Amino acid sequence: MIPEGLVKETVFGEVVAKANHYMAVLDRNGQRRIIKDPIIREYERRFCKQVATYCNKNIASRFVLYVEVYYCNLQHDLDNSLKTILDCLQYCHAIKDDVYCIAIHAEKHRDPRNPRVIFAIEEKEPTLL
């Protein structure tokens, strides 16, 4: 699935879907706002600790993300995991912004003993308009 020649990174642990991990809180002015809960924040920290090659690359050009997600079971939604993965890549400065992502090639797998995410980023040359 991930093309030959691209550097693969593996992040161990089951990816946390962001859709299920937001909390509504009140700010100083009593206004409601949405924040990440501690579970998603901890996943982001663990993700970044495991990323070596892409950490701090700050890719700020068009890119394609290749990702294989291995879950403990197949009850999880792949699309919810993709948002988490893109946000984690931004959090560890692998990418500057997910707005540069032009394509995602994703696969969902089951591995009850070893949930993980394997990914690679293929940078694309900027196009002249």
Side-chain angles (χ1 to χ4, degrees):
M1 156 65 183
I2 297 175
E4 290 293 321
L6 292 181
V7 176
K8 295 181 193 179
E9 294 255 17
T10 301
V11 176
F12 296 98
E14 188 145 87
V15 65
V16 177
K18 283 205 159 195
N20 303 326
H21 292 283
Y22 283 105
M23 302 183 312
V25 297
L26 298 178
D27 65 14
R28 284 182 246 149
N29 301 321
Q31 299 294 318
R32 239 178 70 145
R33 62 188 198 113
I34 305 297
I35 64 168
K36 300 173 196 172
D37 74 9
I39 294 168
I40 195 68
R41 289 182 186 277
E42 178 57 30
Y43 182 78
E44 287 174 335
R45 283 190 288 275
R46 283 187 285 121
F47 187 100
C48 288
K49 284 181 181 177
Q50 296 181 60
V51 174
T53 303
Y54 291 105
C55 188
N56 293 316
K57 267 195 105 169
N58 278 311
I59 296 168
S61 61
R62 298 174 338 126
F63 68 88
V64 175
L65 176 65
Y66 295 89
V67 62
E68 299 169 3
V69 183
Y70 292 80
Y71 298 101
C72 288
N73 60 58
L74 295 178
Q75 302 292 345
H76 301 276
D77 288 338
L78 183 59
D79 60 331
N80 287 334
S81 298
L82 295 175
K83 181 63 179 156
T84 299
I85 293 164
L86 282 165
D87 285 352
C88 286
L89 291 171
Q90 217 168 293
Y91 182 79
C92 69
H93 306 287
I95 61 173
K96 188 78 171 167
D97 196 320
D98 60 13
V99 72
Y100 296 113
C101 184
I102 59 170
I104 299 173
H105 299 273
E107 289 184 2
K108 176 179 177 177
H109 302 279
R110 181 177 175 271
D111 187 345
R113 294 193 177 135
N114 189 22
R116 64 197 177 279
V117 172
I118 302 171
F119 72 91
I121 299 172
E122 181 180 20
E123 294 181 70
K124 297 291 187 177
E125 292 294 320
T127 57
L128 298 174
L129 300 176

